[in-house]
């Protein structure tokens, strides 16, 4: 057996410990390493461990980035509820700096022979990632669905809120209130969702104010601190209204305005994104662009169920219309300089 482990490890280009975990169906092996070990086993003429027991029909992986942003627990709840209606039980995995990453979760889920996986705002939204992790899943014929973001050319089922439309709705609302110095703040530009929202913002600003408009842009992290720092820079540049990439960033923007002695919305208007829980109870109640979580969650569960039951494969990308929810954090543009 030791000689076989050495032989398989050399063939696969991994450690003997990794080979052992695969052979004994242990968690903690990445998709790429598992695929390499399986290929080595076949090339050397050994029996594949996957033949020892069938896939666990009914068990589905659900991976979300974190739970601090209220939009992600909402997605998890909606998708889990809809999966149950299709006869599936969800195993929730949450990515945190101290915990497991997406690849580790996928490895553990494959160890448990899940029927499929739903990824919510995962690495697939990062345009700089190595896409082979998803290509490996497709080659292994593991059903999976991507929520909010896609991997171009993969052909996987991808369901997203229309981020470009979300930005346009926010700009149109603020322009209708007389604002022209409208700033945009969001997360890092490497994410496809940010790229689309930024493109929608700039298009709407060009239509509003002509060529060259849409230069009031600051990118930071998707949390309250990131929103506060980005908003502070935009306020220094004379913005009278702010379009934010998340509700948490919008709360940070309101904090930045108040620390300058500015009132919201009398001096500065703020628009969030997502309409996550409790945003109607903030002070002031937050105007935001609501993600169609209920529709996306139901469609994601249905798409995965269809794949698992052999009624379809990846259907490409489907966009869902967001909705502008007007509350108290936006108002007319103040007359004269602040």
């Amino acid at each position: 057996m030791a000689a076989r482990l050495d032989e398989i490890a050399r063939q696969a280009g991994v450690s003997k410990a990794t080979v052992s975990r695969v052979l004994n169906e242990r968690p903690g092996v990445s998709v790429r390493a598992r695929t390499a070990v399986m290929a080595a086993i076949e090339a050397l003429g050994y029996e594949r461990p996957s033949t020892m027991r069938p896939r666990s029909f009914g068990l589905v992986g659900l991976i979300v980035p974190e739970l601090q942003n209220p939009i992600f627990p909402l997605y998890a709840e909606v998708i889990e509820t809809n999966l149950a209606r299709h006869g599936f039980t969800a195993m929730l995995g949450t990515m945190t700096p101290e915990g497991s990453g997406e690849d580790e979760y996928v490895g553990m889920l494959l160890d448990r022979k899940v029927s499929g996986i739903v990824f919510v705002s995962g690495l697939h939204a990062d345009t700089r990632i190595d896409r082979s992790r998803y290509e490996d899943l497709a080659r292994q014929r593991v059903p999976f669905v991507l929520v909010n973001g896609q991997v171009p050319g993969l052909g996987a089922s991808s369901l997203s809120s229309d981020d470009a439309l979300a930005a346009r709705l926010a700009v149109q609302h603020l322009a209708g209130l007389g604002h022209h110095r409208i700033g945009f703040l969001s997360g890092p530009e490497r994410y496809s969702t940010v790229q689309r929202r930024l493109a929608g913002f700039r298009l709407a600003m060009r239509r509003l104010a002509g060529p060259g408009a849409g230069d009031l842009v600051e990118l930071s992290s998707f949390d309250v601190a990131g929103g506060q720092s980005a908003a502070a820079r935009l306020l220094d540049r004379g913005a009278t209204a702010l379009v934010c990439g998340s509700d948490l960033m919008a709360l940070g923007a309101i904090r930045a305005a108040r620390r300058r002695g500015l009132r919201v919305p009398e001096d500065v208007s703020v628009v969030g994104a997502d309409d996550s829980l409790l945003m109607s109870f903030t002070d002031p109640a937050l105007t935001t662009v609501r993600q169609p979580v209920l529709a996306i969650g139901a469609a994601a569960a249905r798409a995965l169920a269809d794949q698992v039951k052999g009624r379809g494969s990846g259907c490409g990308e489907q966009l869902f219309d967001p909705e502008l929810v007007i509350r108290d954090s936006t108002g007319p543009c103040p007359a004269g300089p602040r």
Side-chain angles (χ1 to χ4, degrees):
M1 179 57 70
R4 288 185 179 184
L5 289 178
D6 282 330
E7 191 177 11
I8 295 170
R10 285 196 302 271
Q11 179 78 13
V14 299
S15 68
K16 288 196 296 182
T18 298
V19 175
S20 179
R21 283 195 292 271
V22 173
L23 291 175
N24 292 287
E25 300 184 316
R26 301 292 186 188
V29 182
S30 70
V31 175
R32 177 176 292 182
R34 182 178 301 278
T35 301
V37 171
M38 291 298 189
I41 290 172
E42 287 191 350
L44 295 170
Y46 298 130
E47 184 182 21
R48 290 170 58 97
S50 60
T51 62
M52 298 178 183
R53 62 187 170 110
R55 192 174 295 281
S56 300
F57 184 81
L59 197 61
V60 169
L62 174 57
I63 301 178
V64 299
E66 41 99 356
L67 297 178
Q68 293 182 348
N69 186 332
I71 196 65
F72 296 129
L74 180 58
Y75 262 116
E77 179 183 1
V78 170
I79 294 173
E80 183 177 13
T81 299
N82 280 276
L83 285 170
R85 291 171 180 164
H86 290 281
F88 296 100
T89 300
M91 292 180 60
L92 179 64
T94 305
M95 292 179 288
T96 62
E98 299 81 14
S100 298
E102 184 173 293
D103 289 339
E104 287 75 20
Y105 273 124
V106 169
M108 288 186 282
L109 291 169
L110 294 181
D111 281 332
R112 287 160 176 77
K113 310 295 182 185
V114 294
S115 295
I117 305 174
V118 179
F119 298 91
V120 178
S121 300
L123 293 176
H124 60 276
D126 189 337
T127 59
R128 298 180 185 177
I129 57 98
D130 179 1
R131 55 181 285 158
S132 65
R133 53 174 51 87
Y134 301 109
E135 294 171 342
D136 289 342
L137 287 176
R139 277 194 294 270
Q140 295 180 62
R141 297 186 179 181
V142 176
F144 66 95
V145 173
L146 308 175
V147 173
N148 282 343
Q150 66 164 165
V151 181
L154 187 62
S157 293
S158 175
L159 308 140
S160 302
S161 179
D162 190 334
D163 291 295
L165 175 58
R168 296 199 301 270
L169 290 173
V171 170
Q172 290 165 6
H173 170 62
L174 294 169
L177 294 171
H179 292 275
H180 293 277
R181 295 289 293 171
I182 302 173
F184 175 87
L185 56 143
S186 190
E189 195 171 1
R190 69 176 185 271
Y191 295 109
S192 59
T193 50
V194 175
Q195 294 172 6
R196 292 178 174 183
R197 196 175 293 257
L198 181 55
F201 169 78
R202 284 175 168 155
L203 175 61
M205 289 300 297
R206 286 195 298 269
R207 290 175 176 173
L208 171 68
D215 64 328
L216 286 175
V217 174
E218 293 288 346
L219 302 181
S220 185
S221 56
F222 271 118
D223 53 18
V224 173
Q228 182 176 343
S229 62
R233 295 190 293 271
L234 289 170
L235 293 173
D236 288 341
R237 297 169 63 186
T240 65
L242 302 172
V243 176
C244 304
S246 73
D247 289 337
L248 293 184
M249 295 193 81
L251 296 181
I254 292 173
R255 178 189 291 177
R258 286 177 171 167
R259 290 194 173 180
R260 281 167 167 68
L262 303 175
R263 299 165 298 166
V264 178
E266 292 83 358
D267 301 312
V268 178
S269 288
V270 177
V271 179
D274 296 339
D275 194 30
S276 47
L277 298 176
L278 304 180
M279 290 306 108
S280 61
F281 300 99
T282 58
D283 181 23
L286 187 66
T287 294
T288 187
V289 183
R290 176 182 294 157
Q291 280 201 50
V293 176
L294 297 180
I296 293 176
R302 184 169 56 252
L304 189 71
D306 286 344
Q307 290 184 55
V308 172
K309 297 175 181 179
R311 294 198 293 258
S313 56
C315 60
E317 185 177 33
Q318 184 178 358
L319 295 179
F320 293 75
D321 288 347
E323 176 189 359
L324 178 67
V325 181
I326 301 174
R327 297 193 181 103
D328 301 331
S329 64
T330 51
C333 181
R338 290 198 304 265

